[in-house]
Amino acid sequence: MTSEQQGGFGILLFYEFSTVNDTAALVRELQGRCQAASLAGRLRVSAEGVNGCLSGGIRRCQEFCARLQSDFAELFARTDFKLSSCEERHCFKSLKVWESSEVCGLFAGDEDLAAKQLAVDDTPVGTHLSPEKWHEVLSKGGDDLVLFDVRNRYETRIGRFSAVCSEGEGSKVELVDPLTRFYSETPAFLEKQDNLERFRGKKVLMYCTGGVRCEQASALLKRNLGPDDGAEVFQLSGGIQRYLEAYPSGGFFQGSMYVFDRRGKVAGPDAGLQDSTSDANAGYAEHQPPLPDAPEVIGRCCECGVPWDSYQGRWPCGACGMPLLLCVRCQGRCSRKDAKAAAAARRALRCEICEPGRIAAPAVAVSSGGGIQAAARQASNPGRLSEAEAAFQLLASKLRELASSESKQEVAAAAAKALQELQGNLRNRRLREMLAADATTLKAVRKLFDRACGIELDEDLEAASADVDIMDSMLR
């Protein structure tokens, strides 16, 4: 058994803003160290610092970090190395270490890059808040709070922070989503006065995946607001990554965190190291015990609106190329045997930026009141588990009704759509457990499998058989 097998595999995320005098030499040095440690991934080196995402054996990652901090103390002594567990299949397959003009590409392609970088560097960044302090601020609420998600739209679709203004009131803390396709679109967003008005005089809580994007974006926001505005700008130290490590149940973060590696997304319990004996992240936060329930799915298929949060395959917007969420059924519609029809369907795909209002509400009905999410909102108890239970009961009733119908041909299409809705919601472990414990409904689901696949599928149901296969594997 290899050391990687004994210690497991991990994803290493880190950045550091610090002057690098010889970027070419540092690229060669880091390239050699990564190869010696059998680490793969991406490392960007610029005159203003380093930004990297690597993968490999957890112990090798830990040794790599320790040696960087000892051998390059001036550069990495205070670096926050974030290490989380992953499966071997999620590790990067290759290594790329290169010289870049920026640590994170805020002004990518801008001819006035040097001048704008200098202006941002001369402006203090936002005040760092630990995950615990961030949680405390959101717990207290306040009408003067505003959340600012610095990530791109394809990231914010599947997960975001949400909190109420104050206890006992239903209004939510305003969340500013800049609807960017790339980080380099952030400066343009922060130059518009209408956007800046949303931050003036407020306590601005900025966050991103690991914290690197907030470093420059917070300085840019403060510079554009001006010194006399009165706004207080804060940023989540360590980003969503560190927050989910401190609050594995999710805390105020809803959904999943998009990650730029082969995992695609992670939830609270999977954000940090699963090996509790490791000291890689020790001393940073006293972790709360994780809850068994998977996060709710807040993403939506861009075509039919069913709950979906997995970027499976390559499904870009036909106009701008931004990644889209496409459920299995709609993937089938865009993968027809007729190549011309499939190509046309792909070209017709649009994101919500290119075509505002594109994302539909969940289309599959499980009761007269609408889909499973609508049913959940109608539940008398607003608690998360109560919503899931109420939604499950309505959907289970619909499935049993379909299974008991004598008209097999007429009910087949409805059965396929109901199974599709169930599939999207069973990404939640709690709902899977509830279905497994309900023998009557489980029997009805099994019966519907044959009906959904035993019909001549029209274009809306071409992927019904694939849905059933996924459902079957999930329930097993």
Side-chain angles (χ1 to χ4, degrees), residues 188-372:
F189 175 83
L190 291 178
E191 286 175 0
K192 296 180 179 178
Q193 290 302 315
D194 288 347
N195 295 331
L196 291 176
E197 287 300 323
R198 303 173 71 177
F199 303 114
R200 293 196 183 282
K202 299 278 189 176
K203 289 182 179 178
V204 184
L205 303 178
M206 301 178 64
Y207 66 92
C208 59
T209 305
V212 62
R213 283 177 279 188
C214 285
E215 297 290 355
Q216 289 184 304
S218 64
L220 184 62
L221 174 60
K222 292 180 69 173
R223 189 194 71 181
N224 290 358
L225 286 174
D228 301 324
D229 178 75
E232 297 179 85
V233 180
F234 302 92
Q235 60 191 76
L236 176 57
S237 183
I240 305 168
Q241 171 77 34
R242 285 301 191 194
Y243 181 84
L244 291 181
E245 289 177 14
Y247 299 93
S249 62
F252 287 103
F253 188 80
Q254 298 180 339
S256 298
M257 176 180 68
Y258 182 96
V259 291
F260 294 90
D261 55 62
R262 297 171 69 90
R263 295 172 298 173
K265 61 185 175 66
V266 296
D270 303 318
L273 282 176
Q274 296 176 1
D275 181 5
S276 60
T277 62
S278 171
D279 61 355
N281 293 318
Y284 186 84
E286 183 176 354
H287 293 193
Q288 302 294 324
L291 298 180
D293 302 303
E296 60 182 315
V297 177
I298 66 173
R300 293 288 181 270
C301 171
C302 68
E303 287 292 288
C304 69
V306 300
W308 195 261
D309 66 353
S310 293
Y311 287 97
Q312 296 178 345
R314 295 182 179 275
W315 302 101
C317 170
C320 70
M322 185 171 67
L324 296 175
L325 288 173
L326 209 65
C327 71
V328 172
R329 178 166 64 89
C330 292
Q331 288 178 33
R333 296 176 61 185
C334 296
S335 303
R336 303 168 187 168
K337 294 181 180 179
D338 184 335
K340 290 185 177 180
R346 281 175 171 267
R347 288 194 299 269
L349 293 174
R350 292 292 184 272
C351 69
E352 61 272 43
I353 301 177
C354 291
E355 192 173 316
R358 173 74 175 184
I359 307 302
V364 181
V366 296
S367 71
S368 59
I372 188 169

